[in-house]
């Protein structure tokens, strides 16, 4: 331990830490570009220069370990002057193209320029010109002129992704970031460099020029791309998801997420093939090239139809398929409904891609809630292999009705053939797929982007998702959405307020409606009620609440099969 | 005074001649001493580094950890890229075995098993000369396994630089050796803790190591009597610029700067007056011609004169020299050689060059001089390595001592800031 003083504050701190670490822990902000808590210290930006008593020169807070008796000043005239000088240096060759730069609004350089800079430049020469619009890889675009050579992206590739693909070439103010000869920035985590980049040098080729950051709302949620469940932010404007960015959770994903999750887990939310309302099959019309054979109906009609059809079968003639894509709450109520009907034939599908995994984040299990499905309903007695039995019984004609939530078993042509034999087939689906083509009733369900709920990741960590996109029945202002400036201040006739809305409901609510149509008296007004019921009835969820799950989630109270250390350990 | 490093002995670079003149005797003597006693001997001799920073050599060696499971390294720094500096080249050419012997003794003293010699890439001819000497030393088992029948084994590899001044900075040198970009490292950790491949490492200049056999042979007491007491020994002064006999002169430390110029280097070309002198390589602060009387060439004296001994490379400029052009050229050098890693040096060096170029074009104003000084001040002390300082010092000292040069050339009509042409590179005919 060391006793030190920072800006007059006396602190007792671990003497293995650096000044910047200690300061941040104690709420003293020292500006920094190149320093990042998970990357090696580069010490190149020099914006964190501070004064330490008895030291002849200013020192960089990121590389200076604290020692007993150290007296640090982070705002002395000398420090303020050096900081201003660094800002002035950084800006002399910078293009200052904030008005057309994606980073504006979340740019460290811009923020610090307002905070620590004089606002005038004494540089009146032509700036050094460097390449623009360099395609570093499939997902990342580079503007070399905006780069401040902090080397965060280089260090990330070397140290975290373990793919040394980036390098600097040339010297002095001609230094340029580039890829090694013959290399592309194409590793599975390449887009984290965009988040790390303190300026607009690295931008997302997917998101570029789609929106100014302040026009979007950002919602704390969880990626459904694999069983890791990386914590992330979902960015929305005009009810359209525009990008995903990782959100810090040291227990799950640290500061990172993979490119696959970032790019592929939101596009279907606003896709053309969304199911925009409940659908019922026209008598005897199967899907063909021009006609899905399904007609839009109101919720009441669709639910009444499902209830009356289900009533017409014996319990042994019905089977149910849970979903590892759906939340704990959805699956819990689904199993509850099946139990109510006496249905024993329940299964869920695993979606494993063997080999598509690594020891950073990516898991072979491509569903967010495998663990949860087994925990809230399908315990040891029934598992994925039950599905084969169900299919056999459908083929034999003993199972005649099937209820599927939020999965696409029909994607397998062999299975589709079997499913075509069913007398009654109801599915919850958010998008048209091979399964909806076969269904008699399609109940338009919300995507994970439109509902509250929880997923349980492979570690057994229960984590909340939150709605970022509204559906016909939800109102941003009323339903606890994260708001953008446009949400708050836009008028209803504003173009910002526009955007498509589906008449979709979360699966848990649809299930409640179906159960009640079947005579149950379920009183789940909100999904939180469902979760509280899980917590009250399921041992491993004991003591959990949405409040307690907060932003980082909680571990199940069972022996976790896969004990995973925090990824930075 | 007898020349110790470059004695006038024909063919001394040949190993047979070197041996005949007592070569490798110091190594034999050292191998009979305890390694710590060798370090102690060098410490007491007061030998200080000849690479520019004048750091006490024995003290530096003593920083190497004794108990370590890691391999230890010695890097011999022959990158020699500082303008005005060409002394290590002379050692490679005329007395390479003295350096090799010194390096082996240093390695023995510190428990090092591998020496890397990093030589400036442009020294193609001298790299060949050095390699020949190294090969001969291997052939005679001064290098290699169990040298001279002892239990001590030592390897020496010679590495050719690729033309970057920054790779002479000790930590950039190590990165370069490792195959990385020549970026200086943030210190601490210092090389003795965390050097080459993360192992304990010492970096010494070629000339520094060449002094070691002399100290071992003659003893610290004898050596510490030579020249200035706090900075003893002889130096290889390299004199260039407007003198009649430019070249390398081996003389004791503390010699008068004026003696160097007039007595040894044959005086100023055409008997002109001296306008300015750079005393220790392009990084050191300038002296006015009327300031050099009585100035002695050793670390303490030059510090007192507001400058530094640096590499001992003296650059003399006569009264007709366009010194602003020289300053611009020097600044261009640092701009060109800045590794581009840290903000003040990367951005500031180019800015200084642009301002100076504006003066050469007759477009500068006195406001620009204040700005130039401010830019230099904002670089100095705020960078990762000393290249930033090296770029700032000449500018700062020039403005202090030759402000009149700017005044004379400043645009008469005060600044109506107007669009300025992109700066061009200055080419010198000297
Ligand atoms: C930009 C820069 C360039 C340098 N170039 C050299 C060089 O070419 N040769 C050298 O011996 N030292 C050079 N040095 C000094 C080395 O960093 C180091 O101090 C020296 O090699 C140590 O040797 P010494 O203790 O024997 O002097 C340079 C330093 C800087 C900052
Ligand atoms: S591209 Fe961005 S992260 Fe990479 S070095 Fe430049 S400024 Fe830093
Ligand atoms: S001072 Fe200059 S040369 Fe040294 S690390 Fe910084 S940018 Fe590179």
């Amino acid at each position: 331990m060391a006793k030190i003083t920072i800006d007059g504050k006396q602190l007792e701190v671990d003497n293995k830490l650096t000044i910047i670490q200690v300061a941040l822990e104690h709420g003293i902000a020292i500006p920094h570009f190149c320093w990042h808590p998970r990357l090696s210290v580069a010490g190149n930006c020099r914006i964190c220069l501070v004064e330490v008593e008895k030291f002849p020169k200013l020192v960089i807070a990121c590389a200076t370990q604290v020692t007993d008796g150290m007296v640090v000043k982070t705002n002395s005239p000398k420090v303020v002057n050096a900081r201003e000088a660094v800002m002035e240096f950084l800006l002399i060759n910078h293009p200052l193209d904030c008005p057309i730069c994606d980073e504006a609004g979340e740019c460290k350089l811009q923020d610090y320029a307002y905070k620590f800079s004089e606002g005038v430049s004494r540089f009146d020469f032509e700036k050094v010109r460097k390449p623009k619009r360099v395609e570093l890889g499939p997902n990342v675009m580079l503007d070399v002129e905006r780069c401040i050579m902090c080397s965060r992206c280089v260090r990330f590739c070397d140290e975290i992704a373990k793919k040394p693909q980036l390098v600097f070439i040339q010297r002095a103010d001609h230094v340029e970031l580039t890829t090694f000869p013959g290399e592309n920035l194409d590793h599975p985590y390449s887009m984290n460099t965009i988040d790390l980049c303190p300026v607009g040098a690295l931008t997302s080729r997917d998101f570029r020029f789609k929106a100014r950051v302040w026009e979007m709302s950002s919602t704390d949620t969880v990626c459904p791309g694999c069983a890791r469940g990386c914590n992330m932010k979902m960015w929305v404007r005009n009810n359209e998801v525009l990008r995903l960015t990782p959100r810090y959770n040291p227990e799950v994903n640290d500061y990172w997420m993979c490119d696959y999750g970032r790019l592929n887990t939101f596009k279907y939310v606003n896709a053309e093939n969304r199911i925009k309302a409940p659908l019922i099959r026209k008598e005897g019309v199967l899907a063909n090239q021009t006609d899905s054979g399904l007609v839009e109906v109101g919720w009441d009609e669709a639910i009444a139809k499902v209830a009356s059809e289900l009533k017409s079968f014996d319990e042994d003639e019905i089977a149910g398929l849970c979903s590892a894509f759906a939340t704990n709450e959805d699956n819990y109520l689904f199993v509850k409904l099946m139990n109510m009907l006496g249905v024993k034939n329940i299964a869920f599908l695993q979606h494993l891609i063997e080999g598509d995994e690594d020891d950073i984040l990516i898991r072979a299990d491509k569903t967010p809630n495998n663990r949860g499905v087994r925990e809230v309903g399908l315990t040891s007695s029934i598992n994925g292999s039950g599905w084969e039995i169900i299919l056999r019984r459908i083929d034999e004609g003993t199972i005649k009705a099937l209820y599927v939530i939020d999965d696409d078993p029909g994607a397998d042509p062999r299975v589709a053939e079997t499913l075509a034999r069913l007398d009654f087939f109801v599915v919850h689906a958010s998008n048209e797929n091979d399964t909806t083509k076969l269904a008699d009733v399609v109940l338009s369900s919300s995507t994970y982007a439109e509902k509250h709920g929880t997923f349980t990741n492979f570690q057994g960590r229960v984590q909340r998702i939150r709605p970022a996109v509204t559906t016909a029945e939800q109102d941003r202002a009323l339903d606890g959405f994260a708001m953008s400036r446009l949400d708050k201040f836009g008028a209803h006739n504003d173009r910002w307020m526009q955007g498509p809305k589906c008449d979709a409901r979360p699966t848990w609510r649809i299930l409640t409606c179906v159960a009640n149509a079947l005579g149950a008296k379920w009183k789940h007004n909100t999904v939180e009620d469902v979760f509280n019921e899980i917590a009250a009835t399921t041992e491993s969820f004991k003591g959990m609440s949405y409040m307690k799950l907060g932003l980082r989630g909680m571990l199940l109270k069972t022996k976790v099969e896969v004990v995973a250390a925090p990824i930075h350990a | 005074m007898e020349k110790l490093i470059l004695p006038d002995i024909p063919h001394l670079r040949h190993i047979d001649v070197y041996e005949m003149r007592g070569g490798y005797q110091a190594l034999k003597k050292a191998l009979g001493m305890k390694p710590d006693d060798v370090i102690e001997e060098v410490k007491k001799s007061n030998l200080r580094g000849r690479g520019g920073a004048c750091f006490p050599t024995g003290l530096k060696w003593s920083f190497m950890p004794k108990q370590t499971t890691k391999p230890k390294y010695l890097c011999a720094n022959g990158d020699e890229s500082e303008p005005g500096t060409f002394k290590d080249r002379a050692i490679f050419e005329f007395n390479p075995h003295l350096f090799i012997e010194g390096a082996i003794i240093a390695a023995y003293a510190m428990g090092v098993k591998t020496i890397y010699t990093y030589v400036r890439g442009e020294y193609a001819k001298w790299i060949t000369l050095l390699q020949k000497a190294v090969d001969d030393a291997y052939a005679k088992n001064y290098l290699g396994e169990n040298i001279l029948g002892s239990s001590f084994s030592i390897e020496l590899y010679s590495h050719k630089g690729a033309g970057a001044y920054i790779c002479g900075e000790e930590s950039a040198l190590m990165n370069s050796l490792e195959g990385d970009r020549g970026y200086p490292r943030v210190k601490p950790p210092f090389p003795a803790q965390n050097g080459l491949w993360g192992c304990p490492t010492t970096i010494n200049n070629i000339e520094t190591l060449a002094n070691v056999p002399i100290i071992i042979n003659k003893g610290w007491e004898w050596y510490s009597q030579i020249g200035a007491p706090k900075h003893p020994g002889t130096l290889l002064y390299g004199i260039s610029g407007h003198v009649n006999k430019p070249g390398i002169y081996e003389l004791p430390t503390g010699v008068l700067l004026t003696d160097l110029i007039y007595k040894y280097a044959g005086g100023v070309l055409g008997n002109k007056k001296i306008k300015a002198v750079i005393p220790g390589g392009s990084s050191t602060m300038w002296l006015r011609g009327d300031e050099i009387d009585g100035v002695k060439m050793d670390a303490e004296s030059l510090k007192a004169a507001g400058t530094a001994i640096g590499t001992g490379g003296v650059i003399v400029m006569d009264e007709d020299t366009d010194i602003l052009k020289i300053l611009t050229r020097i600044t261009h050098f640092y701009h060109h050689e800045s590794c581009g890693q840290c903000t003040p040096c990367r951005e500031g060096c180019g800015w200084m060059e642009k301002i100076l170029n504006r003066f050469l074009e007759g477009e500068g104003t006195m406001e620009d001089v204040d700005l130039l000084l401010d830019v230099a001040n904002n670089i100095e002390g705020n960078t990762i390595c000393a290249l930033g300082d090296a770029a700032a010092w000449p500018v700062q000292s020039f403005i202090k001592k030759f402000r009149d040069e700017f005044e004379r050339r400043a645009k008469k009509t005060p600044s109506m800031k107007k669009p300025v042409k992109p700066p061009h590179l200055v080419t010198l005919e000297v």
Side-chain angles (χ1 to χ4, degrees):
Chain A
M1 295 301 274
K3 283 199 180 122
I4 68 160
T5 310
I6 306 183
D7 294 343
K9 255 198 206 175
Q10 297 193 347
L11 306 169
E12 201 162 325
V13 299
D14 182 350
N15 59 7
K16 283 190 282 299
L17 298 178
T18 55
I19 296 175
I20 204 167
Q21 287 172 321
V22 166
L24 288 182
E25 262 178 32
H26 291 87
I28 300 164
I30 297 180
H32 53 276
F33 288 111
C34 66
W35 181 78
H36 185 280
R38 284 298 176 270
L39 302 176
S40 62
V41 170
N44 59 37
C45 77
R46 318 305 285 182
I47 195 79
C48 74
L49 284 167
V50 293
E51 193 173 344
V52 175
E53 265 180 23
K54 301 202 185 76
F55 278 46
K57 295 197 227 173
L58 300 180
V59 300
I60 46 174
C62 67
T64 309
Q65 236 172 300
V66 295
T67 52
D68 203 37
M70 195 180 240
V71 179
V72 182
K73 292 178 197 155
T74 76
N75 270 314
S76 68
K78 247 172 119 177
V79 174
V80 169
N81 183 59
R83 215 177 259 164
E84 261 173 33
V86 170
M87 283 308 301
E88 183 179 38
F89 282 137
L90 281 173
L91 293 174
I92 62 172
N93 285 310
H94 187 83
L96 300 174
D97 57 348
C98 310
I100 56 152
C101 176
D102 266 342
E103 190 81 0
E106 55 182 12
C107 174
K108 262 185 186 296
L109 191 63
Q110 198 180 42
D111 292 351
Y112 289 174
Y114 280 111
K115 248 185 170 153
F116 303 117
S117 190
E118 290 228 306
V120 283
S121 176
R122 297 175 293 174
F123 183 86
D124 56 358
F125 297 93
E126 184 163 317
K127 292 174 187 258
V128 177
R129 304 304 304 268
K130 292 179 188 175
K132 314 285 273 185
R133 292 174 294 280
V134 181
E135 296 174 6
L136 276 189
N139 302 330
V140 182
M141 190 73 91
L142 167 66
D143 182 317
V144 191
E145 286 184 344
R146 292 181 189 154
C147 171
I148 58 164
M149 277 63 84
C150 73
S151 81
R152 276 181 165 196
C153 55
V154 180
R155 283 174 285 144
F156 174 83
C157 293
D158 292 0
E159 296 163 16
I160 308 287
K162 306 266 192 285
K163 295 275 184 223
Q165 295 176 327
L166 295 178
V167 66
F168 289 115
I169 54 166
Q170 307 293 353
R171 285 193 305 239
D173 45 14
H174 294 280
V175 164
E176 286 178 24
L177 178 71
T178 184
T179 48
F180 279 103
E183 285 276 356
N184 261 330
L185 177 61
D186 59 2
H187 61 70
Y189 297 94
S190 72
M191 296 179 82
N192 290 290
T193 59
I194 300 164
D195 314 320
L196 282 170
C197 183
V199 296
L202 299 178
T203 49
S204 160
R205 293 181 68 182
D206 186 64
F207 172 70
R208 270 159 67 82
F209 308 130
K210 292 255 169 73
R212 312 310 323 237
V213 295
W214 56 87
E215 296 168 356
M216 297 180 286
S217 63
S218 94
T219 303
D220 296 324
T221 187
V222 168
C223 173
C226 83
R228 166 76 56 183
C230 288
N231 292 205
M232 65 178 189
K233 283 181 184 293
M234 178 174 279
W235 298 79
V236 169
R237 188 189 68 182
N238 292 347
N239 215 33
E240 192 182 353
V241 187
L242 295 179
R243 67 168 181 179
L244 305 173
T245 54
R247 174 167 63 87
Y248 175 57
N249 187 337
E251 307 298 335
V252 178
N253 57 307
D254 221 2
Y255 294 88
W256 331 115
M257 73 186 293
C258 79
D259 290 8
Y260 173 83
R262 190 192 297 250
L263 290 174
N264 295 292
T265 60
F266 74 89
K267 303 247 155 106
Y268 65 89
V269 175
N270 301 100
E272 269 304 302
N273 70 353
R274 271 307 289 275
I275 294 169
K276 297 179 184 71
L279 305 167
I280 291 185
R281 187 162 303 284
K282 290 179 260 181
E283 202 64 52
V285 183
L286 292 178
N288 62 41
Q289 295 285 319
T290 51
D291 186 2
S292 67
L294 295 161
V295 282
E296 284 192 11
V297 295
W299 278 103
D300 291 348
E301 187 182 340
I303 285 173
K305 164 95 173 157
V306 173
S308 72
E309 286 281 358
L310 287 177
K311 266 193 249 172
S312 69
F313 294 98
D314 278 350
E315 56 198 46
D316 291 341
E317 291 173 334
I318 305 175
L321 190 66
C322 304
S323 170
F325 294 109
T327 60
N328 289 322
E329 292 82 347
D330 296 338
N331 283 292
Y332 172 80
L333 284 192
F334 185 68
V335 174
K336 188 172 172 176
L337 174 67
M338 290 295 116
N339 286 344
M340 191 179 105
L341 293 169
V343 172
K344 300 259 166 0
N345 298 307
I346 314 173
F348 82 101
L349 300 179
Q350 307 242 33
H351 294 269
L352 300 178
I353 304 181
E354 298 292 349
D356 183 16
E357 59 196 314
D358 60 26
D359 50 12
I360 303 174
L361 296 176
I362 298 170
R363 308 288 304 173
D365 180 353
K366 300 305 171 197
T367 62
N369 199 33
N370 188 323
R371 195 62 211 277
V373 181
R374 284 178 284 144
E375 206 68 40
V376 295
L378 297 183
T379 42
S380 49
S381 62
I382 310 170
N383 58 32
S385 72
W387 178 237
E388 290 301 321
I389 300 170
I390 291 171
L391 289 177
R392 208 174 61 227
R393 292 189 184 154
I394 297 173
D395 281 333
E396 290 165 3
T398 48
I399 289 178
K400 298 187 169 118
L402 178 64
Y403 199 144
V404 171
I405 57 166
D406 302 308
D407 206 336
D408 185 15
D412 179 343
R414 189 183 61 87
V415 174
E417 236 173 77
T418 299
L419 298 181
R421 301 200 174 95
L422 288 162
D423 291 346
F424 179 65
F425 184 18
V426 51
V427 297
H428 293 194
S430 60
N431 296 66
E432 288 167 20
N433 58 29
D434 295 318
T435 306
T436 60
K437 282 184 201 144
L438 300 163
D440 298 302
V441 179
V442 180
L443 298 172
S444 46
S445 59
S446 306
T447 63
Y448 80 106
E450 293 147 345
K451 64 185 181 186
H452 282 286
T454 55
F455 290 138
T456 308
N457 84 347
F458 77 104
Q459 299 161 304
R461 180 165 293 273
V462 181
Q463 310 194 88
R464 286 185 62 181
I465 57 168
R466 294 174 180 76
V469 172
T470 62
T471 51
E473 293 181 3
Q474 282 172 300
D475 186 322
R476 290 189 83 77
L478 297 177
D479 287 346
F481 279 76
M483 304 278 261
S484 69
R485 220 177 66 178
L486 299 174
D487 291 325
K488 287 183 204 154
F489 305 116
H492 263 282
N493 56 354
D494 221 326
R495 69 188 179 95
W496 304 118
M497 304 298 284
Q498 265 122 67
K501 283 186 184 180
C502 293
D503 190 3
R505 288 179 181 176
T507 281
W508 69 269
R509 186 183 287 287
I510 302 174
L511 291 168
T512 306
C513 296
V514 171
N516 288 345
L518 284 164
K521 295 218 160 42
W522 291 2
K523 292 200 179 61
H524 313 108
N525 281 327
T526 66
V527 68
E528 197 168 358
D529 296 341
V530 184
F531 187 79
N532 290 341
E533 188 174 314
I534 298 175
T537 57
T538 313
E539 194 52 38
S540 52
F541 284 74
K542 276 263 153 68
M544 289 187 189
S545 68
Y546 273 9
M547 181 90 118
K548 283 192 192 152
L549 292 183
L551 288 172
R552 303 254 173 105
M554 283 170 81
L555 278 181
L556 290 173
K557 283 207 183 51
T558 42
K559 282 212 190 77
V560 188
E561 295 152 40
V562 194
V563 182
I567 67 153
H568 55 86
Chain B
M1 170 79 210
E2 169 196 9
K3 292 184 195 169
L4 306 171
I5 294 170
L6 299 177
D8 297 317
I9 300 169
H11 308 302
L12 186 58
R13 72 160 172 261
H14 297 303
I15 195 161
D16 301 340
V17 179
Y18 184 70
E19 285 174 325
M20 239 153 47
R21 296 301 189 120
Y24 288 109
Q25 290 307 318
L27 174 59
K28 283 174 193 153
K29 187 171 167 191
L31 289 177
M33 294 164 70
K34 283 208 241 77
D36 276 352
D37 293 343
V38 177
I39 296 184
E40 202 49 34
E41 191 77 17
V42 174
K43 251 190 192 169
K44 285 197 212 139
S45 77
N46 274 335
L47 172 64
R48 290 165 71 177
R50 308 296 200 234
C54 273
F55 196 86
T57 306
L59 185 62
K60 193 188 258 191
W61 293 4
S62 70
F63 294 153
M64 289 288 270
K66 305 260 182 286
Q67 253 75 45
T68 173
T69 51
K70 292 179 176 175
K72 296 187 244 183
Y73 297 103
L74 169 66
C75 296
N77 192 344
D79 194 48
E80 190 154 82
S81 309
E82 170 107 344
T85 311
F86 41 96
K87 66 201 179 58
D88 297 337
R89 185 178 78 184
I91 296 175
F92 295 141
E93 182 164 350
F94 299 108
N95 202 355
H97 287 289
L98 185 67
F99 149 67
I100 294 171
E101 186 178 4
I104 301 169
I105 295 170
Y108 172 75
M110 291 182 279
V112 162
K113 299 257 172 343
T114 312
I115 303 166
Y116 288 96
T117 308
Y118 194 104
V119 188
R120 177 190 167 106
E122 292 88 335
Y123 280 1
K125 174 181 152 195
W126 291 271
I127 289 171
T128 318
L129 292 174
L130 174 65
Q131 192 58 50
K132 170 80 171 82
V134 169
D135 293 345
D136 290 347
Y138 264 108
K140 296 218 163 173
N141 193 222
Y142 296 120
L143 286 167
E145 294 283 311
N146 297 14
I147 61 168
L148 306 176
S150 72
S151 59
F152 181 66
S153 301
I154 182 75
E155 302 291 335
L156 188 153
Y157 301 98
S158 181
H159 183 90
K160 179 174 182 267
Y165 168 63
I166 195 59
C167 288
E169 195 282 337
E170 56 184 25
S171 56
L173 181 149
M174 294 190 294
N175 277 347
S176 173
L177 272 178
E178 288 181 22
D180 272 344
R181 206 173 141 77
Y183 267 172
R185 299 178 184 173
V186 175
K187 281 156 272 184
F190 292 99
Q193 273 78 51
N194 193 340
L196 207 49
W197 292 292
C199 301
T201 304
T202 292
I203 300 97
N204 277 129
N205 172 256
I206 301 293
E207 185 187 346
T208 310
L209 291 168
N211 275 279
V212 171
I214 299 160
I215 294 166
I216 297 298
N217 267 333
K218 308 251 183 156
W220 66 267
E221 275 172 304
W222 181 87
Y223 183 88
S224 60
Q225 304 299 313
I226 306 167
K230 289 192 174 164
H231 183 199
T234 59
L235 284 186
L236 302 182
Y237 299 96
I239 306 188
S240 58
H242 298 133
V243 288
N244 284 312
K245 293 194 288 172
I248 294 286
Y249 295 88
E250 181 177 357
L251 294 162
T253 53
V255 70
L256 282 172
L257 176 54
T258 43
D259 276 358
L260 255 184
I261 297 170
Y262 293 103
K263 201 163 139 196
Y264 297 99
V268 182
L269 277 174
N271 273 327
K272 288 186 190 165
K273 280 202 233 140
I274 294 174
K275 188 163 193 175
V277 176
I278 299 174
S282 60
S283 313
T284 51
M285 276 80 124
W286 291 35
L287 293 170
R288 291 180 69 103
D290 56 18
E291 282 180 319
I292 62 173
D293 267 351
V295 170
K296 286 185 185 165
M297 293 294 288
D298 63 85
E300 271 62 34
S301 308
L302 282 169
K303 197 169 168 201
T307 177
I309 184 75
T311 59
V314 179
I315 303 171
V316 179
M317 291 167 259
D318 74 23
E319 56 191 329
D320 294 334
T321 315
D322 183 348
I323 56 172
L324 196 58
K325 204 168 167 183
I326 307 265
L327 181 70
T328 308
R329 185 62 186 81
I330 288 176
T331 303
H332 169 68
F333 172 81
Y334 288 109
H335 174 207
H336 188 253
E337 297 298 335
S338 159
C339 82
Q341 187 180 197
C342 63
T343 308
C345 169
R346 178 185 66 236
E347 305 293 341
C349 290
W351 193 1
M352 292 197 299
E353 188 191 352
K354 285 173 180 170
I355 299 172
L356 286 165
N357 268 325
R358 182 183 276 175
F359 261 97
L360 294 190
E361 287 160 5
E363 296 291 330
T365 66
M366 289 319 282
E367 291 159 34
D368 286 325
V369 181
D370 298 335
L371 175 61
L372 179 64
L373 183 60
D374 215 31
V375 174
N377 291 345
N378 284 340
I379 298 172
E380 191 206 0
N382 291 335
T383 55
I384 292 181
C385 85
L387 189 142
D389 301 336
W393 289 330
V395 171
Q396 290 167 327
S397 61
F398 189 102
I399 294 176
K400 194 163 149 203
K401 301 197 168 161
F402 300 100
R403 206 178 167 88
D404 52 328
E405 283 289 319
F406 286 111
E407 268 157 13
R408 208 163 44 73
R409 292 168 76 148
K411 220 169 121 186
K412 291 296 167 291
T413 44
S415 74
M416 280 291 297
K417 288 272 164 74
K418 63 175 190 95
V420 182
K421 281 187 297 172
H424 60 271
L425 302 184
V426 190
T427 31
L428 272 186
E429 292 87 20
V430 281

